Amino acid sequence: MTAPPVAVTRRGGLPAGVRNPWLVFLGRRFARLVVSLAVLVTLAFLMIHLVPGDPVRAALGLTAPAELVEARRESLGLNDPLIVQYGNYLSGLFRGDLGVSMTSGVPVVDTIGQRLPASASLGLSAFVVIMVSAIPLGLAMAVLTRGGRRRGVELGFTSTSAMIAAIPEFLLAVGLIFVFAVTLGWLPVAGRGGLDSYLLPVLALSAGPTLVIARIVRVEALAVFGQDFVRTARAKRLPPWRVYFRHAFPNALTSTLTIGGLLLGSMIVGTVLVENVFAWPGMGMTIVQSILAKDYPLVQAAVLVYGLAVLLVNLMVDLLLAVVDPRSTIREA
Amino acid sequence: MRLTHWLNALRSPVGAVSATLLSAFIVLALIAPIIWGDAAEQTDPSALSQGPSAEHFLGTDGLGRDIWMRVLVATRTSLGLAVLATLIAVSIGTLLGVLPAVLGRRAGRLAVALVNLAVAFPALLLALFFAVIFGIGAKGAVLAIGIAGAPSFARLVQTNVAAVAGRDFVSAARVAGVGRVRLVFRHLLPNVGEPLVVNATVMAGGALLAFAGLSFLGIGVQPPTYDWGRLLGEGLSRIYLNPAAALAPGVAVVLAGLAFTLLGETIAQVVGLRTTARRGHLGVLPTLRRREPDEPTTTQPGSNGASVYDGVSTQHAAASTDGSTVRPDDAVLVARDLTVSFPGPRGWTHPVDGVDLTVHRGETVGIVGESGSGKSLTALAVARLAPEEAVVRASTLNFLGTSLPDRSDAELRRLLGTSMAMVFQDPMTSFNPSMRVGRQLAEVTRTHEGHSRRAAWDRAVDRLRKVRVPAAERRAAQYPHEFSGGMRQRAMIGMGLMSSPDLVIADEPTTALDVTVQRQVLRLLREVQRESGAAVVLISHDIAVVSQMCERIVVMYSGRVVEELPVDRLAEAAHPYTRALLGSVPDLATDVDRPLATIPGRPPDPGARPPGCAFAPRCAFADDTCTAPPVLEDVAPRQRAACWHPQSGPVAPSPLAGAEPAVDVPTRTGGQP
């Protein structure tokens, strides 16, 4: 922990191989991304082969004539050796060819291109709502309840947030539909249309994560308020907002980001359920329908899309963490 | 003992609710299908999709079946499948989790990496993936949710096992990217079994929710079987006709999930994984009225107040200003009757109890005392930096002739921000780790003097150069962790010099540094004092450090000033505590074969201070008079002590023979006066 001046010169003097810690960090992080991607792609490919029995027979039904099954197997390339299929799959991926839907005959890429924007707009809106509301809420709660003040506010906040966060997003969605669409009739019950159609799905998706993140922000911020450098900032007689926002808050972000990243990952998949509650024409409906119809090329592609989204969110969180907390980057490197 | 713990837990609100809920669900799961199983299957073509009625409590579904009965009967399927999935997750997770400990280092790392890879993906995505492989239906869904839950449980097991198995595994986990939260978890948990039980319980709640999700999507339980998720999915399509058909199964899922989560919480409480914070009731501040820190009791300048005012400062001033009253502009800092109180579980404690402190222009004053003597808190209190929960009161608290308690926060920031500088004990933690050092210096003048970004930065670089930080330009752009301890402390002093302070308060500025660096920092402080003419208050537990640096020394013990004296009178210290402190300082003449002299006993806890002189229990001269509180009184010109038996004559050179200096003091100083 000590002796950085020595360490600095020594690091500079080291022979080739050890470079800028940022480059080392980025190199490692992208290597991890590539490995995760490779595993994801391979698993998506293997999925159809892991299905016990004949997946094509299962998809077409027991009554389908044997010739049809054979023809479909041939067209899916399932009769080739596994390694050849894998090669074809990979090259198809690079060409943007994800195969053809077994049920509709439409190229999978077209279906995804059509459905993904609806899901992405939903997910991004929820993400923005979470970030815009969770962090100020958590900070405000931390400032209000610092040093054991306002026990009542603290208790009220921690218990209500725990209660609401315990309700899974799709059940919350049902409750919201009942109140705002059925009983009050203010908002559409389902479907994707104007701005008003976004309100309930976004609220259902963001309520839980918002409260959970706000709780984390509060606890983290309270821990930071007690640290020496915050006292230093106060000793510099900075205005309170500057003490909180410039000094305390950025240092409270670290584990907020870590846990928040995990939450966002599960929120992405949470859209699957919420989309089905609201009959939202997005990827969530697609993946469920294709699973039910055993439309394997479409399922493969949908799993890829969701997995990719999760990996990208994780990457973003790690990069943000590195910027916010340079110590962790250098330690890791 | 265990049993009483459980009984106590059941009496707590969380324990009671979870136990009631869960036993209700278990009873329902057992008996509901037997009693209402057939009735729930009964279709009624004359009552399709009806709302709640006397006959059908929650209405009917599309085939005229009673919703309420179906929800009750579905308890068994829903709970059973969730528990089954949890068992699968726990078995596979435990297996995966112990692999690293069982296998060799390399294979173990692989297992860790595998789990980490899987944990990156949300469980629901994994469940969907496995649902494709295992097929649609209850069996496939159980396997899918079980396997999808395994990685996170495996990681928990891995971390806990690693904690027990040895440090090598911990570092392996760290290399593999295990989060800090996990490591903290490991650190907190004494053994493996208990956290696993807790997490398995919470996980069962999660599995229940996940199963409801899959069934709702149509991937889980298939007709004619039904669980809550299935009922929810069917009810949702008819939410306009009968909202209860969708809401009732939803409420059931939430309640059951809650029951598991709360049960986990209860178990955690019983096995001691979480401590419940208990706070006692606070009485009213005894002997003092409770006040906000901003409104002290200001003593009226009358005869009474004047006599209080005739304290140290008068003494000191008398020497310099021929006995007249204190010139207000001479004192940089005047604190009278300063008290800092904290609320505690057993009422108020006063770690600082009626301290008077005056610092004159350009003077260096040392405050010494053992840890817990209240010296740092005194400094923080006069600097208006005491912790939030502390209540600070003083009859007078003036800085540069301004009464601090009478000023608004903004005025105080402006005044103190430019005129008072603080240097703290631990330079490692006193800088903001995520901000460049130069920026941290620059913001002082940017805030208080409205300097431009550029001007403030230049000033910061200049100040760093001033405190002899090498390559100041480059260093200013670095983060604190790139500085050494001594350099950080110099930068901290440089931060104080961004404006031109009239007072520098240095709170144990050298304690966290090694000896050679200590000397540099002290020399720098002295230089700053000489060049800028600022007064310095140096707080230290080390009387040797203070006597090198200061003109006047204030000795504190248990929140009170016990002696005040000029440094050249140290050899004739009057208070037995000061003499004992001096006696415990080793020097070149110290016989290294003897144990170092120490003061026997420990300072009293501020909550349990003895009546009268707080030092009496450790003092060789204490007698019955010492149970009355002594007052600071002159014992020599400019020297005051709060002692019923002030000593005279030179302090014996250290070491004070052997381990009991306090006993030796009388024989060497010639007894009591």
Side-chain angles (χ1 to χ4, degrees):
Chain A
M1 174 100 200
T2 41
V6 185
V8 165
T9 46
R10 202 187 292 146
R11 192 154 49 218
L14 268 181
V18 179
R19 279 155 304 158
N20 187 339
W22 280 93
L23 287 181
V24 178
F25 165 75
L26 286 179
R28 270 179 185 239
R29 190 60 191 78
F30 278 98
R32 209 166 92 205
L33 178 70
V34 168
V35 171
S36 308
L37 267 180
V39 171
L40 176 69
V41 167
T42 310
L43 281 179
F45 163 74
L46 283 177
M47 189 160 61
I48 190 168
H49 300 281
L50 289 172
V51 176
D54 184 349
V56 179
R57 167 61 72 187
L60 295 179
L62 290 172
T63 52
E67 304 85 62
L68 179 66
V69 173
E70 194 46 40
R72 185 59 65 83
R73 286 190 65 86
E74 193 60 45
S75 73
L76 284 171
L78 289 177
N79 292 331
D80 298 335
L82 199 61
I83 190 76
V84 175
Q85 290 185 43
Y86 190 45
N88 289 340
Y89 181 71
L90 285 182
S91 70
L93 265 187
F94 281 108
R95 279 180 283 112
D97 177 10
L98 291 167
V100 176
S101 162
M102 281 163 71
T103 45
S104 64
V106 175
V108 168
V109 175
D110 293 356
T111 312
I112 287 176
Q114 188 196 341
R115 295 297 191 99
L116 189 57
S119 290
S121 61
L122 191 61
L124 285 177
S125 316
F127 171 78
V128 170
V129 168
I130 291 169
M131 284 301 138
V132 165
S133 49
I135 291 170
L137 180 64
L139 276 184
M141 283 297 156
V143 173
L144 282 178
T145 60
R146 68 188 188 278
R149 296 175 183 209
R150 296 188 187 80
R151 294 252 147 204
V153 174
E154 183 186 345
L155 195 68
F157 172 71
T158 48
S159 51
T160 38
S161 60
M163 286 293 280
I164 296 177
I167 303 176
E169 63 282 74
F170 71 105
L171 294 180
L172 198 60
V174 172
L176 289 173
I177 288 180
F178 171 67
V179 174
F180 293 101
V182 175
T183 309
L184 297 172
W186 290 350
L187 295 164
V189 71
R192 182 186 184 215
L195 202 61
D196 57 344
S197 69
Y198 275 82
L199 286 178
L200 290 184
V202 167
L203 188 58
L205 274 174
S206 54
T210 298
L211 290 172
V212 174
I213 293 179
R215 287 164 66 101
I216 301 165
V217 169
R218 187 185 81 94
V219 171
E220 284 295 305
L222 284 179
V224 171
F225 288 168
Q227 290 190 6
D228 285 352
F229 63 84
V230 173
R231 186 180 60 187
T232 306
R234 283 171 57 216
K236 286 193 267 184
R237 316 294 166 178
L238 304 176
W241 63 266
R242 206 175 157 84
V243 174
Y244 290 134
F245 286 92
R246 193 65 191 85
H247 291 273
F249 178 46
N251 292 290
L253 258 183
T254 319
S255 55
T256 307
L257 268 175
T258 317
I259 301 169
L262 285 176
L263 271 178
L264 287 181
S266 56
M267 191 206 73
I268 290 176
V269 186
T271 58
V272 173
L273 283 160
V274 171
E275 281 184 18
N276 278 278
V277 172
F278 288 97
W280 195 262
M283 286 300 296
M285 297 278 278
T286 309
I287 190 170
V288 170
Q289 281 159 5
S290 59
I291 289 175
L292 289 173
K294 299 192 171 63
D295 188 344
Y296 294 110
L298 198 52
V299 177
Q300 274 184 335
V303 165
L304 266 186
V305 168
Y306 278 107
L308 194 66
V310 170
L311 288 180
L312 288 181
V313 165
N314 291 349
L315 178 74
M316 253 167 45
V317 167
D318 283 358
L319 292 183
L320 256 174
L321 263 179
V323 174
V324 170
D325 187 6
R327 284 170 306 171
S328 68
T329 323
I330 287 167
R331 212 179 299 129
E332 212 175 307
Chain B
M1 177 207 94
R2 261 297 157 88
L3 190 69
T4 55
H5 280 189
W6 285 107
L7 288 177
N8 279 339
L10 284 183
R11 258 180 243 124
S12 75
V14 170
V17 170
S18 70
T20 316
L21 270 179
L22 209 65
S23 36
F25 277 117
I26 290 173
V27 168
L28 266 183
L30 292 176
I31 64 163
I34 301 170
I35 302 178
W36 300 294
D38 294 333
E41 300 290 339
Q42 208 85 54
T43 54
D44 182 359
S46 65
L48 302 180
S49 299
Q50 285 188 340
S53 64
E55 200 179 336
H56 301 288
F57 174 47
L58 291 178
T60 57
D61 69 1
L63 292 175
R65 293 173 295 200
D66 187 278
I67 300 279
W68 174 234
M69 286 187 187
R70 288 176 76 75
V71 170
L72 292 181
V73 172
T75 310
R76 181 186 283 183
T77 322
S78 307
L79 288 192
L81 294 178
V83 169
L84 212 57
T86 310
L87 286 180
I88 294 175
V90 168
S91 322
I92 300 179
T94 310
L95 210 64
L96 267 178
V98 295
L99 273 185
V102 176
L103 297 174
R105 204 184 164 91
R106 185 164 297 183
R109 278 192 185 186
L110 193 73
V112 172
L114 193 78
V115 167
N116 279 331
L117 199 71
V119 166
F121 294 102
L124 186 62
L125 183 62
L126 295 179
L128 285 176
F129 175 83
F130 287 116
V132 175
I133 293 173
F134 296 121
I136 294 160
K139 199 177 78 187
V142 166
L143 287 171
I145 291 175
I147 296 176
S152 62
F153 199 77
R155 180 188 280 206
L156 189 81
V157 177
Q158 277 178 2
T159 353
N160 280 287
V161 165
V164 180
R167 295 203 52 88
D168 282 7
F169 293 99
V170 175
S171 47
R174 203 176 278 140
V175 168
V178 171
R180 209 172 303 169
V181 182
R182 289 280 174 202
L183 285 173
V184 170
F185 248 48
R186 170 197 61 74
H187 194 72
L188 288 174
L189 304 180
N191 54 48
V192 178
E194 291 170 345
L196 296 192
V197 170
V198 170
N199 275 278
T201 314
V202 175
M203 199 172 197
L208 188 99
L209 299 183
F211 221 106
L214 284 194
S215 286
F216 163 74
L217 292 176
I219 297 170
V221 172
Q222 299 298 312
T225 323
Y226 53 93
D227 67 348
W228 289 329
R230 186 95 217 161
L231 292 178
L232 179 74
E234 290 168 1
L236 187 62
S237 58
R238 278 182 291 277
I239 194 162
Y240 274 111
L241 296 171
N242 181 13
L247 293 179
V251 170
V253 170
V254 171
L255 283 182
L258 205 66
F260 280 114
T261 314
L262 292 183
L263 181 69
E265 199 84 9
T266 311
I267 298 176
Q269 252 169 39
V270 172
V271 299
L273 297 185
R274 298 198 181 85
T275 50
T276 41
R278 246 179 247 120
R279 272 201 164 229
H281 272 283
L282 288 174
V284 185
L285 251 177
T287 74
L288 304 159
R289 269 178 304 134
R290 184 174 182 186
R291 289 167 168 280
E292 287 301 303
D294 314 77
E295 41 154 0
T297 45
T298 313
T299 309
Q300 290 303 313
S303 55
N304 193 21
S307 73
V308 174
Y309 205 58
D310 278 335
V312 226
S313 56
T314 325
Q315 281 293 327
H316 187 86
S320 53
T321 64
D322 55 37
S324 63
T325 47
V326 176
R327 283 208 319 267
D329 56 344
D330 178 39
V332 177
L333 178 75
V334 180
R336 292 265 158 270
D337 204 11
L338 181 78
T339 303
V340 183
S341 313
F342 282 90
R346 269 165 283 123
W348 293 89
T349 54
H350 314 285
V352 175
D353 191 11
V355 165
D356 291 357
L357 180 69
T358 306
V359 180
H360 296 273
R361 215 164 260 293
E363 189 188 24
T364 44
V365 178
I367 304 182
V368 281
E370 287 165 284
S371 55
S373 61
K375 53 193 190 306
S376 292
L377 199 55
T378 301
L380 289 178
V382 297
R384 314 300 284 167
L385 289 172
E388 299 260 7
E389 60 270 33
V391 176
V392 178
R393 307 188 314 112
S395 58
T396 307
L397 184 50
N398 280 348
F399 178 66
L400 295 175
T402 307
S403 177
L404 297 183
D406 301 339
R407 299 293 155 154
S408 72
D409 285 352
E411 285 174 310
L412 276 184
R413 282 202 296 274
R414 173 132 195 89
L415 174 69
L416 300 180
T418 51
S419 312
M420 186 190 282
M422 302 288 298
V423 180
F424 293 111
Q425 174 171 357
D426 191 350
M428 294 300 167
T429 55
S430 292
F431 273 100
N432 182 342
S434 63
M435 205 172 162
R436 294 176 202 281
V437 173
R439 294 284 296 277
Q440 299 194 45
L441 266 69
E443 71 176 345
V444 177
T445 43
R446 265 174 73 69
T447 303
H448 297 298
E449 295 173 26
H451 282 183
S452 71
R453 190 176 286 256
R454 185 73 236 166
W457 180 267
D458 290 344
R459 172 89 180 154
V461 172
D462 175 68
R463 294 291 89 181
L464 286 177
R465 209 173 284 135
K466 170 85 199 154
V467 295
R468 288 198 291 275
V469 168
E473 201 115 0
R474 185 172 63 85
R475 286 292 183 175
Q478 286 184 333
Y479 288 97
H481 67 259
E482 296 169 86
F483 277 47
S484 71
M487 209 186 294
R488 271 190 240 188
Q489 199 59 303
R490 291 204 295 270
M492 180 65 78
I493 295 172
M495 188 187 280
L497 298 179
M498 287 299 287
S499 302
S500 39
D502 293 283
L503 175 64
V504 178
I505 298 180
D507 182 5
E508 303 260 12
T510 59
T511 306
L513 305 172
D514 61 57
V515 180
T516 44
V517 183
Q518 273 188 19
R519 210 166 313 134
Q520 290 171 16
V521 168
L522 283 180
R523 201 181 307 144
L524 180 65
L525 267 178
R526 212 172 308 147
E527 215 176 278
V528 164
Q529 192 265 336
R530 218 174 23 238
E531 286 180 22
S532 68
V536 173
V537 172
L538 177 67
I539 294 151
S540 179
H541 64 281
D542 187 345
I543 199 165
V545 165
V546 168
S547 56
Q548 278 172 42
M549 169 93 194
C550 301
E551 300 159 17
R552 193 156 60 86
I553 293 176
V554 175
V555 183
M556 283 187 71
Y557 186 79
S558 188
R560 295 175 188 145
V561 174
V562 294
E563 182 158 16
E564 268 198 86
L565 70 175
V567 73
D568 52 30
R569 299 258 326 150
L570 258 187
E572 284 133 293
H575 198 285
Y577 178 62
T578 316
R579 298 173 78 95
L581 273 184
L582 285 165
S584 60
V585 177
D587 60 22
L588 285 176
T590 305
D591 186 350
V592 290
D593 294 330
R594 291 193 177 186
L596 271 179
T598 52
I599 307 172
R602 317 179 113 268
D605 188 77
R609 206 176 275 143
C613 175
F615 187 60
R618 299 169 78 187
C619 181
F621 311 104
D623 55 24
D624 288 346
T625 39
C626 299
T627 52
V631 184
L632 264 184
E633 280 172 338
D634 295 358
V635 292
R638 295 160 61 219
Q639 179 179 1
R640 305 192 307 158
C643 182
W644 292 115
H645 309 295
Q647 307 296 299
S648 58
V651 177
S654 59
L656 296 167
E660 284 180 310
V663 180
D664 280 320
V665 169
T667 57
R668 298 203 178 206
T669 53
Q672 292 160 285

